[in-house]
Amino acid sequence: MQVPVPRNNRKTINAWAMYDWANSAYALVIASAIFPAYYNSITKVDGSTRIGFFGSGIENTAAYSINLGLSFGLVALISPLLSSISDYSGNHRSYLKFFCYTGAIGCMLLFFFTGPSLVYLGLGGMMLATIGYSGSIVFYNAYLPAIATEDRQDKVSARGFSFGYIGATTLLILNLVFILNQEALGVKDDTLFPRLSFLLTGFWWIGFAQIPLHVLPKGLYAADNKGRNFLNGYMELRKVWNQLRAQPKLRTFLFSFFFYIMGVQTVMFMATSFGEKEIHLGITQLILTVLLLEYLGIGGAFLFAWLSKKAGNMKALMIAVGLWMLICAGSYFIITPLHFYMAAFFIGLVMGGIQSLSRSTYAKMIPETGNNAGYFSFFDVSEKTAMMCGLVMWGYLDNLTGSMRNSIVALAIWFTIGLILLIIADRKRPSLHYPHSLTNQKKPI
């Protein structure tokens, strides 16, 4: 039974968007800008980048990449369960709070990561933060259709995105100011301000999350134990998979998406590590690069939205994936900081565009079954599984060859496969008949 929730209420919507303000600090400060560079620096001993990891030696960046990949793999595994809890629980807010606090505590633990002997603490804190971030998003997203009518959901979702961007960049710039003024403040410990940024991220996350946790309704559905089945999320994924057999165009697109998004997400998470390890950039330079990526990502999203109107979604995606292939080819030969900044410029242009365009293309291709949530759950699990595969394979190749440059070759292969499958998908006709009385889609792509 639906719990009455006032829709299109400005106070409720702003409170909901503030959770994006709160948790996006993890995505920018921990996952993208400061922690990867700090981790690489703190785990390097006497010029050696190999660390002790479960009884064997491994490249520090390989351990980081594999740890991050396994984090997303775990989230992909439990996402259907979380979706079922979201559907059947009468207390969405408590689950949102649980994952919020889990992620924030993971960030705070990184403050105590002061050397290679505590590498398990560093990787464990990162894993907790990642699980908390991804797990809380499930319940955060579930509130959207409950607080806004369908005609306003795109606008409300965009508000959440903008709140998250402003909040995360505000905190990152604040941390940058402290790092740049370390000497002026008389601080001799080079690790202090980076570690304080991790601690501050945790407090920021929990602190600003109190606004949505106070304003948002306790639950979206009344608690009902009758017929509750927490395996429904997995059953829904199986149902979508069976339906995809009769939809060759959509199925081929999803396989293409799996390969190219594997490359995109791996670049986004490992670019900072590459800059620190291979180009020897400092934390300040890397933070400025990440800020550049953020600004360009927004412009790139609008650029590819315009391109999709002119050439169609599939052609625009082909152009984006083709550009990624060129970026990989050029990145293999990066030597100087200038080369890195040039690569970052082009990555920023295609980074936001390919993600937003992939989701909108998928939305146009799914059949009108009344089961959009199931299809998007499948899409989300596919993306997180791809992230796991990409990051683990990157780490494996990094450790095997001792150079992150060789992992770029794998990225180029993934993008090539994705482009070939995109071309095949574009040539396939949409299915005229779907199983289980699915209706035909007439959406232009």
Side-chain angles (χ1 to χ4, degrees):
M1 184 178 76
Q2 184 79 32
V3 176
V5 177
R7 291 189 172 188
N8 301 334
N9 178 277
R10 178 177 291 273
K11 179 181 177 182
T12 304
I13 288 172
N14 286 336
W16 175 83
M18 282 302 297
Y19 187 73
D20 223 323
W21 174 291
N23 77 342
S24 291
Y26 154 83
L28 199 55
V29 175
I30 305 296
S32 299
I34 301 180
F35 182 72
Y38 173 80
Y39 167 86
N40 287 359
S41 175
I42 207 70
T43 53
K44 186 185 299 182
V45 180
D46 297 328
S48 174
T49 57
R50 297 190 71 82
I51 60 174
F53 192 69
F54 290 105
S56 62
I58 185 174
E59 286 290 323
N60 55 359
T61 48
Y64 175 82
S65 180
I66 292 171
N67 178 75
L68 193 58
L70 293 178
S71 301
F72 284 113
L74 181 59
V75 172
L77 181 64
I78 66 175
S79 283
L81 176 62
L82 297 180
S83 296
S84 296
I85 292 174
S86 178
D87 288 339
Y88 291 103
S89 172
N91 197 347
H92 288 71
R93 193 171 60 199
S94 290
Y95 291 106
L96 176 65
K97 183 177 181 179
F98 171 78
F99 281 101
C100 165
Y101 283 19
T102 297
I105 290 172
C107 294
M108 293 177 184
L109 285 175
L110 298 177
F111 174 79
F112 303 99
F113 176 38
T114 56
S117 62
L118 297 172
V119 66
Y120 294 113
L121 174 64
L123 293 175
M126 182 65 183
M127 178 173 280
L128 273 181
T130 304
I131 292 172
Y133 174 82
S134 299
S136 66
I137 287 293
V138 174
F139 299 97
Y140 169 69
N141 288 340
Y143 273 99
L144 179 58
I147 65 173
T149 53
E150 187 173 350
D151 62 306
R152 296 194 60 184
Q153 286 175 16
D154 286 344
K155 185 177 180 180
V156 172
S157 179
R159 178 173 295 190
F161 174 82
S162 62
F163 273 41
Y165 171 77
I166 296 170
T169 53
T170 298
L171 180 60
L172 184 58
I173 291 172
L174 178 64
N175 288 320
L176 178 60
V177 169
F178 280 106
I179 291 173
L180 286 175
N181 290 282
Q182 175 183 329
E183 292 185 7
L185 293 171
V187 176
K188 296 182 179 180
D189 183 358
D190 291 337
T191 73
L192 180 60
F193 284 135
R195 291 190 296 114
L196 281 176
S197 73
F198 310 146
L199 189 64
L200 183 57
T201 298
F203 282 117
W204 179 283
W205 192 347
I206 288 178
F208 284 108
Q210 298 309 307
I211 298 174
L213 291 175
H214 178 73
V215 175
L216 290 176
K218 178 181 178 182
L220 304 178
Y221 301 94
D224 182 7
N225 293 319
K226 294 181 180 179
R228 176 178 293 184
N229 184 357
F230 290 122
L231 297 179
N232 275 2
Y234 299 100
M235 295 167 63
E236 194 64 39
L237 292 180
R238 182 179 180 183
K239 178 182 176 182
V240 172
W241 174 253
N242 289 334
Q243 291 174 353
L244 287 172
R245 295 177 181 176
Q247 303 169 65
K249 187 179 183 74
L250 179 56
R251 185 178 66 245
T252 305
F253 171 76
L254 277 171
F255 278 117
S256 170
F257 171 77
F258 180 88
F259 280 100
Y260 72 69
I261 208 66
M262 184 162 57
V264 171
Q265 295 288 3
T266 301
V267 170
M268 290 174 63
F269 281 102
M270 298 308 298
T272 303
S273 291
F274 181 88
E276 192 281 335
K277 186 174 183 178
E278 300 290 342
I279 316 300
H280 309 296
L281 297 177
I283 287 182
T284 300
Q285 294 168 298
L286 292 168
I287 291 175
L288 293 173
T289 303
V290 169
L291 286 172
L292 172 66
L293 288 173
E294 288 291 304
Y295 285 109
L296 287 172
I298 294 176
F302 285 108
L303 173 63
F304 277 92
W306 171 83
L307 187 60
S308 67
K309 289 182 180 180
K310 296 293 183 181
N313 288 46
M314 296 296 279
K315 295 293 189 301
L317 278 174
M318 290 179 201
I319 293 172
V321 176
L323 287 174
W324 274 107
M325 291 170 61
L326 293 175
I327 289 170
C328 288
S331 296
Y332 185 85
F333 300 99
I334 287 177
I335 299 175
T336 68
L338 178 60
H339 294 158
F340 185 79
Y341 299 143
M342 291 172 62
F345 175 82
F346 289 105
I347 288 172
L349 284 181
V350 293
M351 178 181 69
I354 198 170
Q355 292 184 94
S356 60
L357 193 56
S358 295
R359 185 168 288 271
S360 62
T361 302
Y362 181 73
K364 291 181 179 181
M365 295 178 71
I366 60 177
E368 295 173 348
T369 64
N371 186 30
N372 284 10
Y375 273 86
F376 272 103
S377 177
F378 191 93
F379 186 80
D380 183 64
V381 170
S382 298
E383 182 176 27
K384 286 185 171 59
T385 303
M387 292 164 70
M388 175 192 70
C389 294
L391 288 164
V392 169
M393 281 193 280
W394 173 285
Y396 174 76
L397 290 172
D398 178 19
N399 187 61
L400 183 67
T401 64
S403 172
M404 300 177 79
R405 294 180 186 275
N406 296 310
S407 299
I408 295 177
V409 177
L411 290 180
I413 293 173
W414 302 338
F415 283 120
T416 302
I417 295 173
L419 180 59
I420 292 171
L421 289 173
L422 263 181
I423 295 172
I424 295 173
D426 187 45
R427 293 178 177 178
K428 289 182 180 289
R429 293 180 177 272
S431 299
L432 297 178
H433 302 286
Y434 295 110
H436 311 299
S437 302
L438 302 184
T439 58
N440 186 30
Q441 285 292 81
K442 301 290 185 180
K443 303 170 184 175
I445 57 172

